[in-house]
Amino acid sequence: MHRNNKLHTFLLEKAKVLTEEWYESLDKVNSKGVYASTNPEVVATLKKQNFDFHLQLCKIFIEEEEKFFKDFEEWILSIAQDEQHLETPIHHILQEFFRVRGQYLNFIDEFVTLYQEEQEQQLLWNHMITKAFDNVVLKFVEENQKYSEERLQAQQDMIKELSSPVIALDNNRALLPLVGDIDTSRARFILENTLQQCGEKGINHLYIDLSGVVIIDTLVADQIFNLLKALNLIGVKTTLSGIRPEIAQTTVQLGISFNNISIKPTLAGALTLPSLPNTRS
């Protein structure tokens, strides 16, 4: 039987010692992130997180496994989503989990010696501690990865939105300046976002400047042409400017025609001169 109230009390009484010993033995020089911080508030929070870990882990010796691991999830989630831990290399965090596990194995050995427990009982307790740490570490890595991916996706969505802004001008006109590489994913986002923004802002004439775009492939060029057609369908006139020779060549190879699209060499020219149908052959 792995449950033992006496062992639980023994480890619970050692919780503060465990935290202080762990922090004092922490390699603050070679560690990174939260473990290298000298900010008093960060250090205090780190110690509390470690102390709360001990309060929860000790329950492995008085609770059923299912309840123990379910109750532990709240602590795991809080650490997996903690900003300081997110900025700490994962291998440093795992290293500290393993160091704390060593502390527990040492204290169990001390308990066994003090109360002259049988070796078989110690092996069972050691197994429970190892199993608990394995499950906690695995769950932490899963949640940390999941939260990191969600945060990265949110950042990428924000970057896409900021890099493809529909800027309102005057008289229901707006500007869409495109800069940098445009892949298929970004091109799709530009199409969806532009249509939405034009509808929400009541735009009837959109100036699309491509002078900041060096290269686009055939799929992206086709997507931009689809954007122009979609804008036309919702009653938005378009004027293209800043088309580089490389992009022009790609559109010609695709057989895409801009005969009904107003085109200007520069953005300044597009904004200052009346928009006329393209007369290029």
Side-chain angles (χ1 to χ4, degrees):
M1 190 71 172
H2 75 272
R3 288 196 290 276
N4 188 294
N5 287 322
K6 188 186 296 185
L7 177 57
H8 168 259
T9 302
F10 175 82
L11 291 174
L12 198 59
E13 291 174 348
K14 297 283 189 181
K16 287 188 177 180
V17 175
L18 281 164
T19 294
E20 292 303 323
E21 284 188 353
W22 167 75
Y23 187 76
E24 288 303 316
S25 63
L26 189 62
D27 184 356
K28 304 172 186 65
V29 176
N30 296 316
S31 294
K32 294 183 180 179
V34 67
Y35 305 123
S37 177
T38 56
N39 185 318
E41 293 184 5
V42 173
V43 173
T45 299
L46 179 62
K47 286 186 176 183
K48 184 180 185 305
Q49 290 168 337
N50 183 269
F51 180 71
D52 290 343
F53 173 85
H54 298 313
L55 297 184
Q56 188 62 46
L57 189 71
C58 289
K59 294 180 182 179
I60 188 67
F61 297 112
I62 60 171
E63 292 183 347
E64 292 291 341
E65 283 188 55
E66 185 176 348
K67 183 179 186 307
F68 167 77
F69 286 115
K70 184 177 180 180
D71 292 345
F72 218 142
E73 284 191 9
E74 184 177 349
W75 182 90
I76 296 171
L77 288 173
S78 69
I79 301 301
Q81 299 178 8
D82 176 62
E83 193 66 31
Q84 293 293 330
H85 282 83
L86 285 168
E87 295 177 358
T88 304
I90 191 70
H91 66 278
H92 284 284
I93 297 176
L94 296 183
Q95 177 179 295
E96 296 313 313
F97 269 119
F98 299 145
R99 286 208 313 123
V100 173
R101 182 181 63 184
Q103 285 182 300
Y104 270 87
L105 296 177
N106 289 337
F107 274 121
I108 289 176
D109 187 60
E110 180 182 329
F111 177 82
V112 169
T113 301
L114 182 63
Y115 293 99
Q116 298 183 341
E117 296 285 347
E118 295 182 0
Q119 186 178 11
E120 289 185 4
Q121 194 63 45
Q122 180 179 3
L123 291 174
L124 176 60
W125 291 334
N126 286 350
H127 172 72
M128 292 306 300
I129 285 294
T130 301
K131 182 178 180 181
F133 270 87
D134 287 348
N135 280 275
V136 169
V137 168
L138 179 60
K139 184 65 176 177
F140 166 78
V141 172
E142 289 176 351
E143 293 299 330
N144 180 267
Q145 179 69 19
K146 177 182 176 182
Y147 187 76
S148 296
E149 289 176 354
E150 290 175 352
R151 191 173 68 160
L152 178 60
Q153 184 60 52
Q155 292 172 342
Q156 290 176 337
D157 291 343
M158 181 178 294
I159 291 172
K160 282 182 179 179
E161 189 168 347
L162 292 174
S163 65
S164 308
V166 175
I167 304 170
L169 300 174
D170 56 9
N171 300 323
N172 300 111
R173 300 187 307 164
L175 168 65
L176 174 62
L178 299 178
V179 179
D181 295 336
I182 301 179
D183 57 16
T184 305
S185 174
R186 185 183 171 198
R188 188 181 304 112
F189 176 84
I190 291 172
L191 189 153
E192 296 172 357
N193 183 62
T194 301
L195 291 175
Q196 179 182 345
Q197 291 295 309
C198 285
E200 292 177 354
K201 297 178 180 180
I203 304 302
N204 57 34
H205 195 144
L206 181 66
Y207 298 85
I208 303 176
D209 184 60
L210 300 175
S211 58
V213 180
V214 180
I215 299 175
I216 58 175
D217 61 24
T218 55
L219 292 176
V220 173
D222 190 49
Q223 197 80 326
I224 291 177
F225 185 68
N226 288 336
L227 170 61
L228 300 178
K229 290 193 296 184
L231 287 169
N232 182 60
L233 288 175
I234 63 173
V236 179
K237 296 180 181 179
T238 55
T239 298
L240 290 178
S241 65
I243 298 178
R244 292 172 177 267
E246 303 92 329
I247 297 177
Q249 185 176 0
T250 300
T251 58
V252 169
Q253 291 173 346
L254 276 174
I256 295 175
S257 172
F258 290 106
N259 288 334
N260 297 318
I261 305 297
S262 174
I263 299 177
K264 301 297 178 183
T266 66
L267 177 59
L271 294 175
T272 57
L273 297 175
S275 299
L276 300 174
N278 178 39
T279 57
R280 298 180 185 179
S281 57

